Amino acid sequence: MSRSAMVLASVLLATACGRGDVAPASSTTGAVSGTENRARPSAAATQATSVSPAPSAPSTTTPDAAAGAGSPGAAREAPDDPRIEEIRKKYAEIQADKGLKTSELRMACPADEGRAEIRLHQKNNAVSKAELKDIAAGDAGSTYQFYYDNGQLIFALNDAMPFGDVTATRLLQRRYYYHQGSPILCTRKSVEGPGDQVESLLHKAPNEPHDCSFAPKVQRLASVVLKGAAATDELKKLLCPQPPR
């Protein structure tokens, strides 16, 4: 082969090696151990995934803004979907309603293998909002906030309790939007950082689309919690470790 031919072949080979699809960006999706099996998105755990239950002081922000999703990334979650906007509007109305009456109840699992705290916010004997703090043995767990319209779940926010250590704490948060009994949008965000900064990091993190595989379990929890004290036994079946058969 002539020298010119060899040079040409080398150029073509180098050009071919420079082409090809760029590998998709990967993302970390750490799960909270010991919580998925207890019907908590990790609660995964609790907004306590450890963001504590929603502040009692009413807010007029949307579901995204309330959880720190006011970033451009969050705004791209469900563009031009009137159902999502309607859910956010209803959420804001519930948060701003100062006439809600609050009641609380507690539940303990057998053998101290976990416990739950429930707070119901009602108006005219109808629950508009419910908070569930699911605490497993060892203080793992998660918190949920459920929002209802005429007794039907429309939005749920789930936070995992912080896990890790002081220098590397992780928080996981998930959101579920429902329309006529079915999930129509599910998102999540997960951050890791110093313990005294991780909540701020979560507030700034964008929401990412997430599969809705856990949405039916969240909806089941919301349905049971709605019944209050009358559903204690049913709630134990969902949250407490069950003895082997």
Side-chain angles (χ1 to χ4, degrees):
M1 180 183 295
S2 66
R3 179 179 180 81
S4 59
M6 292 178 64
V7 170
L8 177 60
S10 298
V11 171
L12 292 175
L13 178 60
T15 302
C17 291
R19 292 200 300 262
D21 296 334
V22 178
S26 61
S27 60
T28 302
T29 57
V32 177
S33 61
T35 56
E36 290 287 356
N37 293 335
R38 298 185 72 250
R40 39 171 90 69
S42 59
T46 99
Q47 207 182 45
T49 342
S50 175
V51 177
S52 59
S56 56
S59 166
T60 58
T61 53
T62 65
D64 291 331
S71 64
R76 294 194 297 269
E77 287 178 359
D80 304 324
D81 189 334
R83 299 173 301 172
I84 298 299
E85 291 307 314
E86 186 62 28
I87 290 171
R88 289 171 175 163
K89 179 180 177 181
K90 184 63 180 180
Y91 169 94
E93 292 175 357
I94 294 172
Q95 289 291 79
D97 193 341
K98 298 181 181 181
L100 299 178
K101 296 182 178 180
T102 302
S103 60
E104 299 181 358
L105 62 101
R106 299 173 183 270
M107 179 212 76
C109 295
D112 293 328
E113 293 191 359
R115 65 187 189 277
E117 300 173 3
I118 300 171
R119 185 179 300 167
L120 302 177
H121 305 270
Q122 306 178 41
K123 187 172 187 177
N124 298 326
N125 297 319
V127 178
S128 298
K129 174 183 176 181
E131 299 171 66
L132 168 64
K133 188 173 184 178
D134 178 20
I135 307 170
D139 291 332
S142 65
T143 60
Y144 301 83
Q145 295 179 44
F146 304 118
Y147 294 81
Y148 308 88
D149 185 18
N150 294 321
Q152 189 171 63
L153 180 67
I154 57 173
F155 177 67
L157 180 66
N158 169 236
D159 289 85
M161 290 182 175
F163 60 102
D165 54 36
V166 176
T167 59
T169 299
R170 170 175 264 167
L171 287 181
L172 171 66
Q173 185 179 86
R174 290 185 269 195
R175 294 181 180 85
Y176 303 88
Y177 295 78
Y178 299 84
H179 178 70
Q180 296 182 353
S182 299
I184 57 173
L185 175 65
C186 303
T187 67
R188 61 161 281 160
K189 60 170 70 177
S190 178
V191 297
E192 183 174 339
D196 60 347
Q197 299 178 24
V198 69
E199 288 191 27
S200 176
L201 293 173
L202 185 72
H203 180 81
K204 299 175 182 177
N207 291 300
E208 301 293 343
H210 188 54
D211 71 80
C212 291
S213 59
F214 200 69
K217 294 183 180 180
V218 173
Q219 191 169 13
R220 177 60 175 162
L221 276 174
S223 176
V224 173
V225 168
L226 191 63
K227 303 174 185 177
T232 299
D233 290 341
E234 192 173 358
L235 192 60
K236 286 182 179 180
K237 292 179 181 179
L238 293 173
L239 299 180
C240 299
Q242 299 299 309
R245 296 181 179 180

